[in-house]
Amino acid sequence: MNNIWKPEHFSSPALLLIDLQNAFFEYPALERQRATLLKHCQRLINTANEYDLPVFNICTVHRRDKSTWTLSMLEDDQGFVLEGTTQAQNLAELDLRGSQQIIKHRDSAFFRTVLEQSLRTLGFHSLIIAGVSSQSCIAATAGDAFAANFRVAIAKQAVASEDPHFEKTTLQLLAEQHRQPAVDTESLINAISRPEQSE
């Protein structure tokens, strides 16, 4: 990680918060990590707000008419995170004031959303990604960010998975294949607040 973590590229990043919604914390393995995960997410949110950096609250929400459902949802005839439900709401502990919400229907936050256009318009080229789950929506978003030539750091203490072994493999793959390091919260904050001291 030391070879690919370049804090000078993350002095002015956008923060992407992925699927911090009630539905995903119905899984016991994620619920057990909830308090620690949200503590680190909130620290990143607060830092982004302090330095006037954009925070994107990216949520999975599906329509009741099935028009946005995935193939597996259609095959099972089982909806998930449906609009207007408690499942679709953000976790109550998070203070997301000032964030921009983007609704997605697939794992990647870039797939058929306005995210890339918004980042280009604002002039941001580096991203910090936090949220759940590491092996699915985090990985898919990070992969599409790489394809779009955004630099990415994964907020190591602000992501979580139902399967820690799968998570470890996923983060290792992102680091090795895409040069997207998993970085601790303190280092990310230092890169933003004290860029001259973070190298």
Side-chain angles (χ1 to χ4, degrees), residues 158-175:
V159 295
S161 170
E162 307 90 315
D163 185 334
H165 300 293
F166 201 0
E167 178 180 50
K168 181 179 179 180
T169 300
T170 300
L171 296 180
Q172 183 178 353
L173 183 148
L174 292 174

Side-chain angles (χ1 to χ4, degrees), residues 133-151:
S133 288
S134 301
Q135 77 279 4
S136 52
C137 296
I138 299 296
T141 299
D144 280 353
F146 176 81
N149 282 348
F150 289 101
R151 297 184 187 277

Side-chain angles (χ1 to χ4, degrees), residues 107-127:
D107 285 358
S108 173
F110 287 93
F111 184 77
R112 296 182 182 175
T113 73
V114 299
L115 178 59
E116 182 174 356
Q117 179 183 347
S118 297
L119 291 167
R120 302 286 187 208
T121 300
L122 293 170
F124 284 85
H125 309 286
S126 60
L127 312 174

